[in-house]
Each structure stands twice: as structure tokens, then as C-alpha cells.
């Protein structure tokens, strides 16, 4: 056996290295926690190894670019978070019928908890829905090996294959053996064929083929090393993904033994592997995060084969269907399953965690933008529709300038819908610059086309801040830091037919409020671009302090503007070292009691 060099890799990095070793030729993505590091690592590797990599404008585009490469026989990987798969669902569902020539892997990171997502959807269910094989890694090392296997399986079946890590697998680190990149010998060439053009007749012919591929995938998984059984006694636990690690540790803590079947390929379920395991146990607990994907298939398999095994899990409420698992939670599940006395009395009682309300950063230009529009709309019954990004935190007091938030790009369309039924109110939609390119543009076109009376505010902080400062088409540089065409949001909005388009620096509060009033008063779609770099992209040049001799303690800076750098020292307002030097608080102060200090 060859001794490979070892690297300490995060799970997402390991997936990237797996793709590299598999000879990936095209990598695409849209950033989203917990998946972002998959592509950022691939982008770094692309510079060194010379394959193509891009941050796409959204997940649908990313998948379609990757699919095009795979049509020609190239190996391609596209990465996203679980809600991003909703955006990519349209091409995905038909891509399963069309198939691929080169290996196409979708790395879709799920977020049980959720820690940074608007829902807890389970990508394994999506895989079932799309009829695509899915692999579920339990560790970074396994994630790397599964990535390589996913490319092989994709080409064997001519189907896209989904790799579904969860947050803990994505972000935990492990020593991982790293091999060389395997050069692809396959000629990359798109061979014209009617089979690449989906039509109703073709879809009807391909559906039986797609169903047949499920059984081929199942057969492949029956021989997969990612499914492993450990037989110890007649009590069994079937587990999948990162839960496998929790089960092992919980068994040790409880000093219990059980036979374990680790399922690394949850769909389609490897039937022979599972039947063999069920034949060696009397009762089974299925431990998996989120939906009962494995459990439902195990129950169906046992019923079909008339097995008398008792199957526990989510359906008898021993295993929760919501939230992220950990060792303590799995230990409680096993305690109930084994009929042991709860050990609550011996468990150390942890002190309650301090309340840490999420808040926009000190100096964030979005705070100034929200403040300006709130001031401009004062006295009006305006509705503020929000979107996905840092700026969702505009909902937090004292700003209170986000009344709705649904999904990427929906601020514009929700505002449009509200404007149809509330013509007497003003509706102001906020979204970020990256989100504008993601899915904001179609909503803007629709608003112009249908003459909706809304104001769209693009919070342009010159990055995709929330997911790690990734570039987008408005910045003039690519994922590989190459100079490229810089798309101007002002010109785009004007080209869409918007008759009032303004750009303003939110740190210039007086001008920002003036522009906001003008846009709100404009009858019809208006666009305001609030342009100022994210506070984390620029060095601090000065700070501000409160001149206590001038301060009248009105607390407007604290209670209406709400910068986290402003606090109380007793009854006196003060500014902490968190001050970034934006100076907006000095403009908010009615008595000029806040003054600049040069560093």
C-alpha cells in the first residue's frame, strides 16, 4: 500500500481534494454556508492545476454550466448549500432524464440545526425526488473518497450524483491522505445527438431508463465500501452520515454493545446489505439526522421481505426529526432504546449560554442605509421587504426595517405583490449586490414590465460578505482573481427600464436621506444603489468618541441608530474600541457631541 502524504483538511477542503484527484475539469458554485469552502479551495487548486473554476451568479446557472461541460465528457463539480438546490431544481429534474457523459457531482451541504439557513430541508429527499444517487459522508476522509467514487458512479450510470455532507462533516478537520491528480484521458468533445434535446417524446422514453438506473445504482451500492456492518449481538443500530460517529461515542459512554450498520449511500438503499444485517438482529434503531430517508426504506424492505424485526426511529419518536444531533442527544436516544435509566442526575448542568443577539457589525454601511430609509419614510405607513444576507439583520431593533424575508431575490417580488393589493402604501425592497445578480434581476424586470410602484434598494457593499467575501459580477474580478468586465448595477437598472436610478454613499447620511425621499416619492419602480465597501474590507483610519461636555444624553445614537460600538458607561453614552470610524453616528447626533479621533 502506498503511503500518501497527509494534510490536515476541513471536510469541505477534503471534498475539493477528492475532486482534484478525480481529475475535475470544471468547478462551479454559488457561495452559501456550510458549503462555501468547497469551491474556494477548488478555486485555489484551479490556479495551481489549471482547470476552470467560477463563482456563478446563482445555483441554477452553476449547475447548467457544469452540466454543459459534462455533456462534452468533462468531469465537473458544482457546490451549493441545501436551499441553493431549490434554485437549481429546474435543470436538475430534467438533467436526470437527459443524463451526462462526463462525471457530474453535486456537492450539496445540508444545515441541520439550522445554523445559517432559512430551513432544514434534507437533500437526500431531493435525491429521491430527482431519482439520483446520493452519498452521505461521516468524516472529511470519507468525504474525499466519496467525491472520487461519485465521479466514477456518475460516469457508470450516466447520471449526476449528489454528495451530501452536513455542517459538522463540512467544518470538522482531520488528517487526510492526499494523492496526485489523475489526468483525464477522455477526449472532451460535445457529440451532437437528438438525445441532448429534451422533448415530451424523449422524456417519455427516458423515464423507464431513469428508473432502471436506480436499480443499477442500488447494485453498485451493495458492493460499496461506504456501507459497513459490525455484528456484535442481536440488537442493531442503522445509522448514516455524521450520526455514525455520535452512535459509536454514545455506545462507549453508555458501556453498551450493539451491532451497527453504517450506511454511506442512503439512496437508493443497498438492499442486500440491509437485509443481511436485519437477518442478524431482532430489533433495530435507525439513527439519522433530519428526515427518515433510510428508516422509510428499511421499513419498506422489511415489510416486503416479511421480516419480524422491530424497527424504531423517527416513526415511534425515539429519534427527533428536527435539529442537529450531537453525542448527548444520541446518548439519550440510545438510553431509551436500551431501556436504561436516564442519567440526568450525573450529567453536569451547564450554565445558560449568554444571550447574543445577532447584530450588524459596528460601522456596517447597511445600518446607515436602513436608517436613512427609515428616516425618509417617517410618517408613512411603508413596508420594508428584506432578503437573504447580512442585511436580514435589519430586522433587529432599533432599526426594524425588515418586515419580510423569504428567500434569495424575493424582496423585490414580495414588494411587487404587496403593491398590487396595497396601492396606497409604499413598499421598499432591500437586497444585496450579489443577490441582485443572483435572482434580484428577474424581479426587477418584472416590476418594470408590469409597472409596479416599488422602490428597490441595492445594498452594494462590494462583496458577498455573509458567506466569506466572494466576488460577483459587479466587482470586476473572477473567482481566480483575474480582472474581468465589471457590471454596473446603475446601468443595468437603467437598461431594465427603471426611470429613476440613483447611487449614493450611505455614510453621507444627509444625501442618502434626500435620495431615499426622492425614490420613495417616485411613482413607479425606482432603484437606489447604496454603495460603500463592507467595513471588513477597509482599514480603520480613525475612531469616534463622545464629548461628554457636549452630550445631552438624548441617546438617539444608541436607541435609534443602534451601532454595537455605542454603549452606556453608567448613564453616559460612550463609544468602545469596536468603532470602525465610519462617522455616521456623528451625523446622527443632534448636538455634535460625537467627534473624530485620528489614529
Amino acid at each position: 500500500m502506498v503511503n500518501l502524504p497527509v494534510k490536515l483538511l476541513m471536510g469541505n477542503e477534503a471534498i475539493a481534494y477528492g475532486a482534484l484527484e478525480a481529475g475535475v475539469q470544471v468547478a462551479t458554485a454559488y457561495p452559501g454556508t456550510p458549503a462555501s469552502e468547497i469551491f474556494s479551495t477548488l478555486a485555489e487548486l484551479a490556479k495551481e492545476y489549471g482547470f476552470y473554476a467560477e463563482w456563478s451568479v446563482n445555483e441554477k446557472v452553476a449547475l447548467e454550466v457544469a452540466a454543459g461541460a459534462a455533456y462534452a465528457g468533462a468531469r465537473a463539480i458544482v457546490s451549493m448549500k441545501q436551499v441553493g438546490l431549490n434554485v437549481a431544481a429546474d435543470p436538475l429534474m430534467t438533467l436526470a432524464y437527459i443524463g451526462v457523459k462526463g462525471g457530474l457531482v453535486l456537492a450539496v451541504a445540508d444545515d441541520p440545526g439550522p445554523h445559517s439557513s432559512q430551513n432544514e430541508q434534507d437533500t437526500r429527499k431531493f435525491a429521491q425526488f430527482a431519482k439520483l444517487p446520493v452519498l452521505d459522508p461521516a468524516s472529511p476522509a470519507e468525504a474525499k473518497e466519496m467525491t472520487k467514487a461519485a465521479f466514477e458512479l456518475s460516469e457508470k450510470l450516466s447520471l449526476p450524483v449528489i454528495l451530501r455532507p452536513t455542517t459538522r462533516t463540512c467544518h470538522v478537520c482531520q488528517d487526510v491522505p492526499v494523492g496526485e491528480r489523475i489526468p483525464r484521458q477522455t477526449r472532451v468533445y460535445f457529440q451532437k445527438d437528438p438525445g441532448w434535446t429534451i422533448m415530451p417524446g424523449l422524456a417519455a422514453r427516458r423515464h423507464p431508463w431513469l428508473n432502471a438506473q436506480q436499480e443499477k445504482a442500488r447494485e453498485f451500492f451493495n458492493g460499496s465500501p461506504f456501507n459497513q456492518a459490525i455484528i456484535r449481538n442481536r440488537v442493531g443500530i442503522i445509522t448514516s452520515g455524521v450520526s455514525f460517529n455520535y452512535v459509536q461515542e454514545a455506545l462507549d459512554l453508555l458501556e453498551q454493545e450493539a451491532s451497527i450498520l453504517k450506511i454511506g449511500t442512503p439512496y437508493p438503499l443497498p438492499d442486500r446489505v440491509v437485509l443481511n444485517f436485519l437477518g442478524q438482529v431482532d430489533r433495530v434503531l435507525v439513527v439519522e439526522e433530519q428526515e427518515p430517508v433510510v428508516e422509510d426504506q428499511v421499513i419498506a424492505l422489511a415489510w416486503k421481505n416479511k421480516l419480524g424485526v422491530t424497527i424504531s426511529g423517527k416513526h415511534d419518536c425515539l429519534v427527533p426529526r428536527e435539529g442537529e444531533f450531537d453525542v448527548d442527544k444520541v446518548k439519550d436516544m440510545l438510553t431509551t432504546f436500551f431501556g436504561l435509566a436516564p442519567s440526568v442526575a450525573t450529567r453536569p448542568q451547564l450554565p445558560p449560554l449568554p444571550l447574543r443577539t445577532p447584530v450588524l457589525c459596528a460601522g456596517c454601511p447597511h445600518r446607515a442605509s436602513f436608517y436613512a430609509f427609515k428616516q425618509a419614510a417617517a410618517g408613512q405607513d411603508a413596508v420594508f421587504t428584506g432578503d437573504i444576507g447580512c442585511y436580514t439583520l435589519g430586522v433587529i431593533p432599533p432599526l426594524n426595517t425588515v418586515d419580510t424575508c423569504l428567500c434569495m431575490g424575493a424582496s423585490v417580488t414580495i414588494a411587487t405583490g404587496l403593491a398590487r393589493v396595497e396601492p396606497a402604501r409604499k413598499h421598499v425592497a432591500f437586497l444585496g449586490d450579489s443577490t441582485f445578480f443572483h435572482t434580484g434581476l428577474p424581479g426587477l424586470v418584472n416590476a418594470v414590465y408590469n409597472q409596479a410602484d416599488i422602490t428597490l434598494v441595492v445594498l452594494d457593499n462590494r462583496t458577498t460578505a455573509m458567506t466569506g467575501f466572494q466576488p460577483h459580477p459587479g466587482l470586476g474580478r473572477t473567482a481566480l482573481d483575474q480582472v474581468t468586465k465589471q457590471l454596473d448595477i446603475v446601468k443595468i437598472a437603467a437598461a431594465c427600464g427603471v426611470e429613476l436610478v440613483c447611487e449614493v454613499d450611505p455614510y453621507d447620511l444627509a444625501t442618502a436621506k434626500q435620495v431615499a425621499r426622492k425614490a420613495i416619492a417616485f411613482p413607479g419602480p425606482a432603484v437606489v444603489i447604496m454603495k460603500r465597501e463592507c467595513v471588513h474590507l477597509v482599514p480603520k483610519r480613525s475612531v469616534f468618541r463622545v464629548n461628554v461636555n457636549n452630550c445631552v444624553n438624548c441617546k438617539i445614537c444608541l436607541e435609534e441608530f443602534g451601532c454595537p460600538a455605542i454603549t452606556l458607561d453608567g448613564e453616559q453614552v460612550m463609544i468602545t474600541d469596536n468603532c470602525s470610524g465610519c462617522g455616521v453616528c456623528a451625523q446622527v447626533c443632534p448636538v455634535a457631541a460625537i467627534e473624530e479621533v485620528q489614529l
Side-chain angles (χ1 to χ4, degrees), residues 29-31 54-62 87 408 434-439 472-473 487:
Y30 185 79
E54 72 167 39
W55 284 119
S56 304
V57 293
N58 65 35
E59 296 83 357
K60 177 177 183 290
V61 171
V87 183
M408 295 281 283
S434 187
T435 310
F436 176 81
F437 292 108
H438 181 277
T439 37
H472 61 65
L487 277 66

Side-chain angles (χ1 to χ4, degrees), residues 61-399:
V61 171
L63 176 56
E64 290 163 350
V65 170
Y71 281 4
R75 284 190 167 182
I77 186 169
V78 52
S79 55
M80 63 193 74
K81 67 182 298 180
Q82 91 279 12
V83 287
L85 191 56
N86 301 330
V87 183
D90 193 13
L92 180 70
M93 301 304 289
T94 305
L95 191 57
Y97 285 66
I98 290 282
V100 292
K101 180 180 173 186
L104 176 58
V105 175
L106 285 80
V108 184
D110 280 2
D111 185 19
H115 296 278
S116 59
S117 306
Q118 56 268 48
N119 65 44
E120 279 189 289
Q121 71 187 58
D122 190 327
T123 293
R124 298 174 305 165
K125 280 287 185 187
F126 233 125
Q128 279 185 304
F129 186 35
K131 302 183 179 182
L132 295 176
V134 59
L135 295 96
D136 193 358
S139 66
E142 190 173 60
K144 197 199 84 168
E145 294 307 312
M146 281 189 175
T147 306
K148 293 162 62 178
F151 277 107
E152 295 291 333
L153 181 61
S154 176
E155 290 177 356
K156 280 181 187 296
L157 300 175
S158 300
L159 279 177
V161 172
I162 294 177
L163 179 75
R164 177 254 188 183
T166 54
T167 305
R168 297 299 155 185
T169 304
C170 289
H171 289 162
V172 75
C173 292
Q174 181 184 19
D175 283 339
V176 179
V178 175
E180 293 294 321
R181 185 180 190 213
I182 302 170
R184 296 278 291 148
Q185 303 299 325
T186 306
R187 182 190 178 206
V188 176
Y189 178 72
F190 176 68
Q191 188 69 49
K192 292 184 180 181
D193 186 287
W196 295 117
T197 306
I198 198 70
M199 299 288 279
L202 177 61
R205 292 196 300 276
R206 292 292 283 185
H207 201 174
W209 170 84
L210 177 57
N211 286 334
Q213 297 308 88
Q214 311 304 295
E215 296 312 310
K216 290 182 181 177
R218 191 188 311 281
E219 190 59 31
F220 183 87
F221 286 161
N222 271 315
S224 169
F226 302 125
N227 302 309
Q228 299 171 351
I230 305 166
I231 304 299
R232 296 191 176 110
N233 54 34
R234 301 289 298 179
V235 177
I237 298 172
I238 298 176
T239 184
S240 184
V242 73
S243 297
F244 170 67
N245 305 316
Y246 303 147
V247 166
Q248 286 187 304
E249 194 170 340
L251 284 172
D252 288 343
L253 291 171
L254 292 170
E255 298 180 338
Q256 295 290 316
E257 281 204 337
S259 297
I260 300 175
L261 175 58
K262 172 185 172 297
I263 297 291
T265 62
Y267 180 81
L269 195 70
D271 55 353
R272 289 205 309 276
V273 172
V274 176
L275 282 173
N276 184 49
F277 185 78
L278 293 178
Q280 300 181 70
V281 295
D282 299 320
R283 62 192 187 104
V284 160
L285 176 68
V286 182
V287 181
E288 57 185 327
E289 287 179 323
Q290 300 184 291
E291 294 299 304
V293 173
V294 170
E295 185 179 335
D296 284 353
Q297 294 179 87
V298 170
I299 290 171
L301 197 61
W303 177 82
K304 184 179 175 185
N305 288 274
K306 299 181 174 58
L307 299 180
V309 181
T310 301
I311 300 169
S312 292
K314 298 180 191 291
H315 290 297
D316 55 3
C317 300
L318 259 67
V319 177
R321 200 166 178 163
E322 311 86 13
E324 186 180 35
F325 291 176
D326 57 29
V327 174
D328 286 338
K329 288 180 181 176
V330 173
K331 190 179 162 192
D332 288 344
M333 298 169 207
L334 298 186
T335 296
T336 305
F337 179 64
F338 284 112
L340 304 173
S343 58
V344 176
T346 60
R347 186 181 298 173
Q349 295 297 312
L350 300 175
L353 292 172
L355 182 62
R356 292 184 296 180
T357 307
V359 64
L360 292 169
C361 301
C364 176
H366 299 335
R367 176 178 292 97
S369 299
F370 284 129
Y371 185 81
F373 269 88
K374 189 175 179 180
Q375 292 279 307
Q380 302 182 50
D381 186 19
V383 177
F384 301 108
T385 58
D387 221 289
I388 304 294
C390 307
Y391 41 87
T392 310
L393 298 176
V395 71
I396 304 294
L399 293 172

Side-chain angles (χ1 to χ4, degrees), residues 487-545:
L487 277 66
D488 188 330
I489 297 176
V490 173
K491 292 180 180 176
I492 290 173
C496 287
V498 180
E499 294 178 4
L500 178 66
V501 183
C502 305
E503 182 178 288
V504 65
D505 180 356
Y507 281 0
D508 180 357
L509 198 55
T511 306
K513 285 193 282 190
Q514 182 183 8
V515 169
R517 289 191 192 97
K518 182 179 176 185
I520 290 173
F522 187 79
V527 172
V528 179
I529 296 97
M530 306 293 271
K531 190 172 183 178
R532 167 64 72 162
E533 295 91 346
C534 171
V535 69
H536 295 292
L537 297 179
V538 292
K540 185 191 293 191
R541 294 189 179 90
S542 65
V543 296
F544 282 73
R545 69 180 180 187

